Amino acid sequence: MGLTKLNPVEKVINEIYPYFSSITVTTVRFNEATSRYSAQRVVAVEDNPPVPKSVLDGFAVNSEDVFGASEYSPIELEIGKEWKPGVAVYVNTGDPLPQGTDTVIPIEAVKVVGNKVLVFKQYPPGNAVAKIGEDLRKGETIIDKGVLIRPWHVAALASQGIIEVDVIDPKIAVAATGDEIVEPWEGNGVRNSTAWLVASFFRERIGSVPSYHGILRDDEEAIKNFVEVALDKYDIVITTGGSSVGKRDISVKVMEKLADKWIHGVALTPGRPLGIGVRDGKLMVSLSGYPVAALSQLEVVVWPIIKKAHELKEPPRPKVRAKLKRRLPVTPNMLHLYRVVVCSREGELWVEPLRLTGSGILSSLIKSNGIVVAGVRGETGYDAGDEIEVELIGDIVPCK
Amino acid sequence: MGLTKLNPVEKVINEIYPYFSSITVTTVRFNEATSRYSAQRVVAVEDNPPVPKSVLDGFAVNSEDVFGASEYSPIELEIGKEWKPGVAVYVNTGDPLPQGTDTVIPIEAVKVVGNKVLVFKQYPPGNAVAKIGEDLRKGETIIDKGVLIRPWHVAALASQGIIEVDVIDPKIAVAATGDEIVEPWEGNGVRNSTAWLVASFFRERIGSVPSYHGILRDDEEAIKNFVEVALDKYDIVITTGGSSVGKRDISVKVMEKLADKWIHGVALTPGRPLGIGVRDGKLMVSLSGYPVAALSQLEVVVWPIIKKAHELKEPPRPKVRAKLKRRLPVTPNMLHLYRVVVCSREGELWVEPLRLTGSGILSSLIKSNGIVVAGVRGETGYDAGDEIEVELIGDIVPCK
């Protein structure tokens, strides 16, 4: 019993991702693209600004007209609506430079007397002027392929008049399995939390809301039927539960039979019982039924496969280095995902691994403010006092 | 001309936030709560697990029945469906312990012979058993007030059968102002990008999609009408443009007249021309019309006011310390938001401030991978080689 062959995480990622090609791309309006991953490189379609503009409130003049001006011999110009030699035109910030002018004198630097303006120093061409294309040049990249679209990207699309953009929008089908499972709103039994965790993970991470297909009983036909139908319509098909090697572990067997390429068992704890593979470019995943194990599998294996296959550039996560309060054991050749509490004392950061280690123990995530992935470099453990890297998922607390 | 009085950022935040009381709370289904801020403390409504459960596949027994078992004198038990003395009951991972049993023997550790099972060592009570409430105790906090709801919170709600949760869902009205402004999908003129940046900011940050009210002309009646009507229906009313002190800066004047409490001008660059205040507990904001200035105002003033007023616990942002490649000047008593590029060379991180400093220069955000807020502690500048803190908004690149 138990999974006899555990595949290193890196191997699983590298063997599966090249085959995961199916991905839905959706065209959305620019303002709905926030927090989605761009499916294309978007370039500027015009120079911005398209014409020279004033960057402050003042008078647009021709620099030759104020050449030689000084405190002691100011030059007087007429204030006009249009430029001709000897005329200064009032401009607000952002206004295009009037024809014939090439520089802007700040309003604070001049003296206005009736219909005239006195200039007390000379200004070179281009003073307080935003040049054509100073912000964006036509053809320049605004959003690279695979970039997570942030508010400034939306603003850049708007400024260029680009009102649609293609985003990565994987169609994901999720179903729970297990005779003992009930829905959260139902009566007696073990409440389904893992499939909902999976749905929430994708909603948060990629903005695609998975399609939830309910709870399947431990019945080979029912599970096979779900997976086959889902493979037709979705890019990613996920079940929770039934991923190990017992009699009731049906999902993993069903998917294995359907797969072109399949791996079962990963050197990850919690999260060993993972089945993952592809059929016709679509990703099939048999996750653990236990929430912490499933999250670990999503974070460390599934999400990296999606990112690598579709070249998504995820923004950096918050990380700190902190000293271990107690020894952290690492099983050789095994990746460990530890839930920890990071605390601060006299400017030093300390990290305390939570002792709740069950793969179903949700409170270990709720009570933690950090996650440590250990064993990546073949470590066999860390001693108290060793410094390790922690991904922060909550604020650092004072040490007790 | 120009804003004569600039208020320190901390002062603006602390004087405004106590008056911003109006906030809409929406009840959503547990699975739609992802990436929203909880408006309430949510506690466990029952112990989890509610009964003792097996944490692995094996035989549930009464520990007294296997007392004294050893390699050389194994104890034989009958396999049954229900427990009585001398009987072992097969359980799958997650199954409740059968009445009368108190410990679980892993399937790998026994020998099954027909209808009997041989046990080769003694097991204390509680072996491989998850105790009642081991994960969550009734009354224990699952989600604190103001916490950003992550996938494991959703799973915890599901596991507790809690199917609704109240989230912070501020109703936000946004309008652009300016005679020269057109929408991105329209013809000639300066395209509105700032109001869309604002909408995107809130969509990303708080999951509330602002209601967009279009472009208002530089007309006092039109702007006053918008603000008054919006104050009735929304928690936050925002205009972009018209926030400085020129003739066309109407938004700020209109809002000031309506406000119970109002501050104009903040010691922040880019972003000085900010008007912010409250009326009847509602927040009114006159943002700069320039995208980078508006983003700076949102990040450094508006968002902190929202967070403080409603006790939102934002997760940490990714930050690194890096050495300056060149001098970074800081105007005394002024907060500066610099867009920078962080690069890595031989394990050392370096930071290069972008030279594009215009408050409208979107490309300075698109090209940066970090943001530096400088001047918080009264610094007057940093020299090349000084180490400063940078918030990462993109991946660190290799130094050229």
Side-chain angles (χ1 to χ4, degrees), chain A residues 1-2 29-32 34-35 46 53 90 92-95 107-108 134-136 140-142 149-156 158-161 163 184-185 190-193 196-197 200-201 203-205 248 290 295 314-319 356 360-363 365-367 392-395, chain B residues 1-2 29-32 34-35 46 53 92-95 107-108 134-136 140-142 149-156 158-161 163 184-185 190-193 196-197 200-201 203-205 248 290 295 314-319 356 360-367 392-395:
Chain A
M1 285 272 194
R29 271 177 68 90
F30 71 101
N31 58 313
E32 282 159 7
T34 315
S35 303
E46 58 183 45
K53 284 181 177 185
Y90 181 78
N92 284 300
T93 315
D95 284 351
I107 186 83
E108 296 91 339
E134 183 176 284
D135 192 1
L136 291 168
E140 199 175 358
T141 302
I142 303 174
I149 298 173
R150 309 289 310 270
W152 44 90
H153 296 122
V154 171
S159 78
Q160 285 282 320
I163 59 165
W185 53 87
V190 177
R191 292 198 192 91
N192 171 20
S193 60
W196 292 111
L197 182 146
S200 177
F201 181 90
R203 184 187 272 258
E204 173 189 285
R205 209 54 69 88
R248 291 166 59 198
Y290 293 96
L295 182 75
E314 195 182 24
R317 314 265 194 99
K319 283 178 182 163
L356 302 159
I361 303 288
L362 273 166
S363 59
L365 280 161
I366 289 169
K367 288 169 186 164
L392 290 179
I393 60 171
D395 280 326
Chain B
M1 287 269 194
R29 269 177 68 89
F30 72 101
N31 59 313
E32 282 159 7
T34 315
S35 302
E46 59 182 46
K53 284 183 177 183
N92 284 300
T93 314
D95 283 350
I107 185 81
E108 295 92 340
E134 184 177 284
D135 192 2
L136 290 167
E140 200 176 1
T141 302
I142 303 175
I149 298 173
R150 310 289 309 269
W152 45 89
H153 296 122
V154 170
S159 77
Q160 285 283 321
I163 61 165
W185 53 86
V190 178
R191 293 197 192 91
N192 172 20
S193 60
W196 292 111
L197 182 145
S200 177
F201 181 90
R203 182 187 273 258
E204 173 189 285
R205 209 54 70 88
R248 290 165 61 199
Y290 294 96
L295 182 76
E314 195 183 23
R317 314 265 193 99
K319 284 179 182 165
L356 302 159
I361 303 287
L362 275 166
S363 59
S364 69
L365 280 162
I366 290 168
K367 288 169 185 163
L392 290 179
I393 59 171
D395 279 327

Side-chain angles (χ1 to χ4, degrees), chain B residues 13 17-18 25 54 58 80 131 149 165 173 280 288 297 321 336 393:
Chain B
I13 294 169
Y17 93 82
V25 169
S54 176
K131 291 183 209 68
I149 298 173
V165 61
D280 293 339
S288 168
Q297 293 165 341
R321 296 188 66 81
H336 297 248
I393 59 171

Side-chain angles (χ1 to χ4, degrees), chain B residues 45-338:
Chain B
V45 293
E46 59 182 46
D47 289 330
N48 185 24
V51 293
K53 284 183 177 183
S54 176
V55 303
L56 39 74
D57 298 347
F59 286 95
V61 304
N62 188 299
S63 53
E64 287 177 17
D65 285 351
V66 295
F67 183 78
S70 74
E71 192 76 31
Y72 302 104
S73 77
I75 287 176
E76 191 181 82
L77 299 173
E78 201 183 319
I79 300 175
K81 291 254 177 224
E82 281 181 17
W83 182 84
K84 57 186 179 187
V87 166
V89 183
Y90 181 78
V91 287
N92 284 300
T93 314
D95 283 350
L97 287 208
Q99 196 71 39
T101 66
D102 64 1
T103 199
V104 175
I105 307 173
I107 185 81
E108 295 92 340
V110 300
K111 193 170 171 188
V112 176
V113 186
N115 191 31
K116 310 271 181 181
V117 57
L118 283 173
V119 179
F120 300 93
K121 74 185 204 75
Q122 60 185 43
Y123 288 83
N127 185 66
V129 174
K131 291 183 209 68
I132 290 175
E134 184 177 284
D135 192 2
L136 290 167
R137 283 232 155 262
K138 187 174 172 177
E140 200 176 1
T141 302
I142 303 175
I143 308 176
D144 226 335
K145 185 170 183 289
V147 161
L148 186 70
I149 298 173
R150 310 289 309 269
W152 45 89
H153 296 122
V154 170
L157 293 173
S159 77
Q160 285 283 321
I162 301 170
I163 61 165
E164 287 188 331
V165 61
D166 288 348
V167 300
I168 294 282
D169 187 24
K171 295 298 167 219
I172 306 168
V174 179
T177 71
D179 286 341
E180 76 283 20
I181 307 287
V182 299
E183 290 293 6
W185 53 86
E186 289 173 348
N188 289 327
V190 178
R191 293 197 192 91
N192 172 20
S193 60
T194 305
W196 292 111
L197 182 145
V198 175
S200 177
F201 181 90
F202 286 105
R203 182 187 273 258
E204 173 189 285
R205 209 54 70 88
I206 205 164
S208 287
V209 181
S211 168
Y212 178 62
H213 292 257
I215 299 167
L216 307 174
R217 295 302 151 207
D218 290 326
D219 171 83
E220 193 166 330
E221 271 313 297
I223 294 174
K224 184 160 177 271
N225 187 51
F226 160 71
V227 175
E228 282 186 331
V229 170
L231 278 171
D232 263 358
K233 290 174 62 181
Y234 297 89
D235 302 306
I236 304 174
V237 179
I238 299 177
T239 57
T240 61
S243 62
S244 193
V245 292
K247 266 186 224 158
R248 290 165 61 199
D249 292 308
I250 300 168
S251 309
V252 78
K253 283 178 230 150
V254 164
M255 287 187 177
E256 180 163 21
K257 280 183 204 152
L258 293 170
D260 306 328
K261 172 97 194 157
W262 186 253
I263 293 178
H264 187 208
V266 56
L268 169 68
T269 182
R272 295 167 201 230
L274 170 71
I276 189 160
V278 276
R279 177 193 171 102
D280 293 339
K282 302 196 164 185
L283 193 65
M284 285 190 289
V285 188
S286 173
L287 290 176
S288 168
Y290 294 96
V292 183
L295 182 76
S296 172
Q297 293 165 341
L298 287 171
E299 277 284 8
V300 177
V301 186
V302 181
W303 179 231
I305 285 174
I306 296 171
K307 281 197 291 183
K308 274 193 111 158
H310 302 292
E311 296 170 53
L312 308 186
K313 296 172 179 74
E314 195 183 23
R317 314 265 193 99
K319 284 179 182 165
V320 292
R321 296 188 66 81
K323 282 185 183 164
L324 274 168
K325 276 195 170 175
R326 59 180 180 84
R327 183 172 162 71
L328 198 66
V330 173
T331 314
N333 303 318
M334 196 82 178
L335 217 58
H336 297 248
L337 192 141
Y338 286 102

Side-chain angles (χ1 to χ4, degrees), chain A residues 3-17:
Chain A
L3 275 159
T4 48
K5 201 189 163 203
L6 295 178
N7 301 277
V9 165
E10 272 306 307
K11 179 178 173 245
V12 179
I13 295 169
N14 286 324
E15 291 198 356
I16 298 295
Y17 94 81

